[in-house]
Amino acid sequence: QVQLGESGGGSVQVGGSLRLACEVSGYTGSGRCTGWFRQAPGKEREGVAGISSDGRTTYADSVKGRFTISKDNAKNTLYLEMNSLKAEDTAMYYCAVDRFWAGGTWYGSCLRKYEYNSWGQGTQVTVSS
């Protein structure tokens, strides 16, 4: 069974930085995507950054140039480096993986909820001025 655990959230001022980590267990690495989503109160969960099975990274327009997704396969950990944080980045952040995919190379964005089937519990990020 795949389990995901996020850490690294917290409170930071506008312009600050945070690094989120997601430890993944029970994952074979054979899915379409691994990624980060966020959900602010009263809003839909949205894709922030994703890595496809062939290593392609994608970002939401709102975070391009500020956020960087990476993974350390040896540590089974996914990261999200967040710089130049804005108040609108305040949200609960979730990591997610696609457990298994046998359909060949995935050309999707890895920013869509339907591309994932295992989710962490989330870590809160609050950005204040």
Side-chain angles (χ1 to χ4, degrees):
Q1 183 176 355
V2 177
Q3 293 185 320
L4 302 93
E6 301 94 336
S7 62
S11 296
V12 64
Q13 290 190 325
V14 169
S17 300
L18 282 173
R19 188 193 196 201
L20 306 183
C22 174
E23 292 188 32
V24 185
S25 61
Y27 177 55
T28 63
S30 58
R32 291 169 291 182
C33 306
T34 55
W36 289 94
F37 285 69
R38 67 185 181 187
Q39 187 168 16
K43 294 189 176 181
E44 292 286 325
R45 188 171 298 189
E46 63 175 353
V48 174
I51 301 178
S52 66
S53 57
D54 61 350
R56 175 174 45 90
T57 57
T58 54
Y59 296 91
D61 288 342
S62 59
V63 306
K64 280 180 181 177
R66 300 188 298 121
F67 290 12
T68 303
I69 187 171
S70 62
K71 60 181 179 178
D72 186 331
N73 291 328
K75 296 182 178 179
N76 294 320
T77 302
L78 183 70
Y79 299 99
L80 185 68
E81 185 77 35
M82 305 186 296
N83 297 313
S84 302
L85 283 161
K86 305 176 180 181
E88 51 263 42
D89 294 319
T90 295
M92 185 73 78
Y93 283 70
Y94 301 88
C95 64
V97 302
D98 176 41
R99 290 190 299 270
F100 179 76
W101 177 252
T105 302
W106 179 252
Y107 295 101
S109 70
C110 288
L111 295 178
R112 307 302 182 189
K113 288 183 288 185
Y114 75 84
E115 295 172 301
Y116 298 85
N117 43 41
S118 291
W119 298 83
Q121 295 299 307
T123 184
Q124 178 68 38
V125 171
T126 302
V127 185
S128 59
S129 57

